[in-house]
Structure formats: structure tokens, C-alpha cells
Amino acid sequence: MTTNSPVADAADGDVQTTIVPEDHTSPTFAELGVDPAIVAALTADGKTHTFAIQELTLPLALRGSDLIGQARTGMGKTYGFGIPMLHRLRNAEASGIRPLDNTPRALVIVPTRELCVQVTEDLETAAKGVDVTLADGTVRPLKITSIYGGRPYEHQIEELQGGVDLVVGTPGRLLDLAQQGHLVLGKVAVLVLDEADEMLDLGFLPDIERIMGALPADRQTMLFSATMPGPIVTLARTFLNRPTHIRAEHANDSAVHERTTQYVYRAHALDKAEMTARILQAEGRGATMIFTRTKRTAQKVADDLAERGFSVGAVHGDLGQVAREKSLNRFREGKIDVLVATDVAARGIDVDDVTHVINYQCPDDEKTYVHRIGRTGRAGRTGVAITFVDWDELHRWELIDKALKLDMPEPVETYSTSDHLREELGIPEDANGRVGAPARSEERREPRAPRADRPKRERRRTRGGKTVSSEQTPADAAAPAADGAPAGEESAAAPRPRRRRRRRSGTSSAPAAAAE
């Protein structure tokens, strides 16, 4: 069913595709009946009006209906499911949820650590100052925790044991803690699968099915996904109860963001670094994400840009979780304005003010391309996406161009000195490949400093086990002193004895001179 009304109802099982007019005024969270405490927390964070996907999902989700939400990245899906979850936990009795008792009542499953952290932070923002009442009458703040791999178990177990109402986690670690008995799943009343298609791509579907099999049958389930491949449809039919499928789009929207200006250049591999450095000096350039296909390239690009004076961080699989989170936090806080990432590591990175995306290596397919450039042009803002296509990547780009109908099948051959590159992207004429002294890349290992309390060795060990000073050679030290001669001076009167040779039988003898 397709409608121009953003508040149209859909029968259970229907696909409701809603085209939201550009001049449509969205309602506020308060107008949709969200709990006043949550509305106050959102208002304090500058959020009062809903996005299209939120406007459509909130009325259904608040009353406990199962649903499938489908919208592109950056369209507000997190609050589309997060606000109803918080509202129902806050009003557990009225929502038909069994009284809270410090075990989880809501669960969000996400594909990556980065998305887990991002969703947790968003929900904590909406839950700031929100209290809940436990079964024994105790009133305390609503508790949210994140569970994901790459961090020690102890802290996560401690948080679960201390009491929690809502858990956000990745499939593997959730399953581990549930099997160990630390995570209680038997009382979960609200389940959300976020970025379900990404979890399918990463091979998490068996883990998700095991987790869902441990949950109560009587629950609300919401599934959010950018695309709906066959296995996800099967999953929805198996575990959701007559869901309403909602797809929210703005007028004139296409598969890629209309608010993102796209440029594609045929670039030489040896010139990409210089091109990137000049693009990063373009007028109006703000927070920028650079995508690579490989971990090695991501770190190489980050190190190169740091040497050129840019404030840059990297996020890829070869980095530890602490280093990845440090780079992400610094990028979100504006302490660095360039982030280099691989496709897998970038899933879940949600920063609204990214102005530029650079595809340093051509994406593998159209889905990856849409995901990458979706990091900019978010929440109604405009953005710029630049893609480098090397000579051996032309066929791959042709397939992407054809699938997305971009009408750019043959990228223009471009170099860092090309006039059209400077004119199209607003690069100053005096821009070159360096902006200052080398900056410290967050992920590069610092050389280990020598210990100040450790004296420099001045002696060397000889074959005989004796030690000599640095001015003395081993040969000098080995020669014995004779007739009062100083050590190290050769003496004919005292020739060195021959070394005794050990035989296999264990006995030893001095071989005769003739045998030598």
C-alpha cells in the first residue's frame, strides 16, 4: 500500500510505503503520546519533532504491535524503536509487561560493536532522568547496558548482576552470557533486531535464531533493516506475529541520498594520497570519512594523512576495541575531523555532521556504495561523496552505476593537479599535499622509550665467559698474562693450552699435535 499520508493505517501483514511530502510538518514526540519524562530528556538534547520513520512506527510500537521498519541509514531508526521501548518500560504495568525485577525486559540485537555503543548512547540520552518502579516498590533510574565482544566479561557480568532493564548487544557475546547463566532472557518482553540485513551478511543468523528461541513467545518484536533479503523475510515470518511492514520515504528520494552530491574520478593508485590531501582542504569541508576495502590500506592512509599534518584516526579490525572506541569518540567530539575506516568497522558509525565521504577504494557492490555515502547527507543535511576508481576497478564501478542508475559509467581521468578536481570540489589554488607538521596518528604505535634507570652496557661477554670493557677485544681478554705482562699482551713464554675435546663416550683427551 502506498500513500501520501504519513499517518495512514495499514492492515496487519501489509507493506505500508509512505511518501512524505517535502512540506510536511512532522508531529512532536509529545503529540504522539510519548511519556513526558522521555519527552523532557529528548527536548534537553534538542529533539522535539519526529522523523518520518519515527512518526510511522511510534503509534504502532507504543501499543505493543510487531512491526518491520525499513528506511535508509541516517533516517532516525534508532529512536523509531528505542523510544517505544523506553516508554513501555517506564509504564510497565500499563503496557502489560511483568513488573521489573532487575532482570532485562527489553533486548536490542545489533551486528557490530560500534553500532552497539552508538545505540546505547542514543538510548541513554533519551532515558536521562527517566525512573522506573520495581516490583518491590523501589524507584530507581532506568538502567541500560551494552554487551559486546572485545571487552572483558567481568565488567559486563557485574552490570548484569547489579540489575538492568534494557540490554543492547551483539549476538556472539549475548549468546555466551546467556549460556553461562549471567544474562536472563526468559523475561524479555520487547525485542528489536537492528540492521538485520547486516547481521545476515556477517553470518549471525544462527546465533540470532538461538537467542530468539530462548525468549518468551509472548513478546513484542520489531525488526529494522535497510533491505529485506529472503532469509530476513523468512526470519520475520517465523518470529514476528502478523507484523506491519513500514517503509518511509521522502518525496523525490532515490536509492541514494538526493542531498548528497556525488563525484566519481578515475584515479591512479600512486596519486590517490595526494588527491585525498587536497580534497581535505576543500572549502566547507567538515567531518570526513574515508572508506577502504582492506585493513592494511586503512592504516596506511591514516598514517600518510597524519604525516601530512591532518587530524586523523582509523577504525579497522586490526585495532583493539579500546583503540577503535577512542578514535570514534574523538571523531564524534570533533577532536579529529578525518576518520579512515573499513566497511565492516564502519557499520554503526552514526555521526550527523559528516560533510564529505571519500571512497578511497571502489566499493565491492552497490549496497556497500549506498552504505558508505549514507554517512553524509543525514538528517536533512547536504553532503559530498567522492569515489576513486582505479583502472582495474572500472568493471566493478560499471555494475554499481548500472544498478543504482547513476548515469556515470565512465569516470573522468583525474589527477591531483587536474583543474576540474579543484573547481568541482572548491579546492583553493594554493592547496598542496601538506597542511602542517606531522600530526600524531591515534593508532600508530609509539617507539618504546629507553628506560632511564637502566645503565648502558659497556661490557661484552667472551667465549670463555669472561667480561671485558668496551675498549678491550675478546681476543685480548682470552689471552692470559705471563711473566708479569699486562693482560691482553701476547707472550711467547706462556702459549695458550689446547682445548680438550670431549668424546661421545663421555671421556676426554688432549689430541696429539700430529693428529692436528
Side-chain angles (χ1 to χ4, degrees), residues 332-370:
R332 291 190 182 105
E333 295 166 1
K335 295 179 180 178
I336 59 175
D337 61 358
V338 180
L339 188 69
V340 187
T342 54
D343 293 311
V344 172
R347 288 169 175 160
I349 298 179
D350 189 3
V351 181
D352 286 340
D353 58 353
V354 172
T355 64
H356 287 63
V357 165
I358 300 175
N359 292 318
Y360 196 87
Q361 292 176 304
C362 183
D364 287 325
D365 51 39
E366 70 276 6
K367 181 180 176 181
T368 304
Y369 179 78
V370 171

Side-chain angles (χ1 to χ4, degrees), residues 24 46 103 110 179 238 245 254 278 294 343 356 359 402 408 410 441 477:
H24 171 68
T103 58
V110 296
Q179 291 173 341
T238 304
H245 186 165
S254 63
R278 299 195 181 202
T294 66
D343 293 311
H356 287 63
N359 292 318
K402 183 177 180 179
M408 294 183 288
E410 297 181 2
S441 177

Side-chain angles (χ1 to χ4, degrees), residues 198-207:
E198 301 293 354
M199 286 192 278
L200 173 65
D201 290 345
L202 295 174
F204 286 135
L205 202 53
D207 287 346

Side-chain angles (χ1 to χ4, degrees), residues 420-444:
H420 67 268
L421 177 71
R422 177 174 51 80
E423 293 170 358
E424 290 176 348
L425 300 180
I427 302 173
E429 292 187 11
D430 58 348
N432 54 36
R434 184 175 295 275
V435 295
R440 180 179 178 273
S441 177
E442 289 298 319
E443 290 68 37
R444 289 186 300 172

Side-chain angles (χ1 to χ4, degrees), residues 312-494:
V312 59
V315 177
H316 55 77
D318 281 347
L319 295 175
Q321 185 61 25
V322 173
R324 292 164 68 171
E325 289 184 9
K326 182 179 180 181
S327 288
L328 283 174
N329 289 334
R330 288 174 61 84
F331 186 62
R332 291 190 182 105
E333 295 166 1
K335 295 179 180 178
I336 59 175
D337 61 358
V338 180
L339 188 69
V340 187
T342 54
D343 293 311
V344 172
R347 288 169 175 160
I349 298 179
D350 189 3
V351 181
D352 286 340
D353 58 353
V354 172
T355 64
H356 287 63
V357 165
I358 300 175
N359 292 318
Y360 196 87
Q361 292 176 304
C362 183
D364 287 325
D365 51 39
E366 70 276 6
K367 181 180 176 181
T368 304
Y369 179 78
V370 171
H371 174 82
R372 287 183 179 185
I373 73 167
R375 300 298 103 191
T376 187
R378 300 168 70 89
R381 296 179 175 88
T382 59
V384 176
I386 301 118
T387 301
F388 296 154
V389 180
D390 209 335
W391 270 253
D392 60 351
E393 298 172 329
L394 286 175
H395 179 65
R396 183 185 296 125
W397 172 252
E398 288 175 1
L399 295 176
I400 294 173
D401 176 80
K402 183 177 180 179
L404 298 176
K405 301 178 181 179
L406 300 177
D407 197 25
M408 294 183 288
E410 297 181 2
V412 179
E413 185 173 345
T414 306
Y415 297 90
S416 56
T417 55
S418 297
D419 289 337
H420 67 268
L421 177 71
R422 177 174 51 80
E423 293 170 358
E424 290 176 348
L425 300 180
I427 302 173
E429 292 187 11
D430 58 348
N432 54 36
R434 184 175 295 275
V435 295
R440 180 179 178 273
S441 177
E442 289 298 319
E443 290 68 37
R444 289 186 300 172
R445 293 185 178 181
E446 294 291 329
R448 181 179 295 179
R451 288 180 51 178
D453 58 344
R454 178 179 294 172
K456 183 178 180 181
R457 286 185 177 271
E458 295 293 340
R459 299 186 299 168
R460 291 180 291 176
R461 187 169 296 278
T462 66
R463 288 179 61 184
K466 297 180 181 180
T467 56
V468 295
S469 66
S470 57
E471 290 83 9
Q472 195 175 18
T473 66
D476 292 338
D483 296 334
E489 292 186 5
E490 191 69 35
S491 172

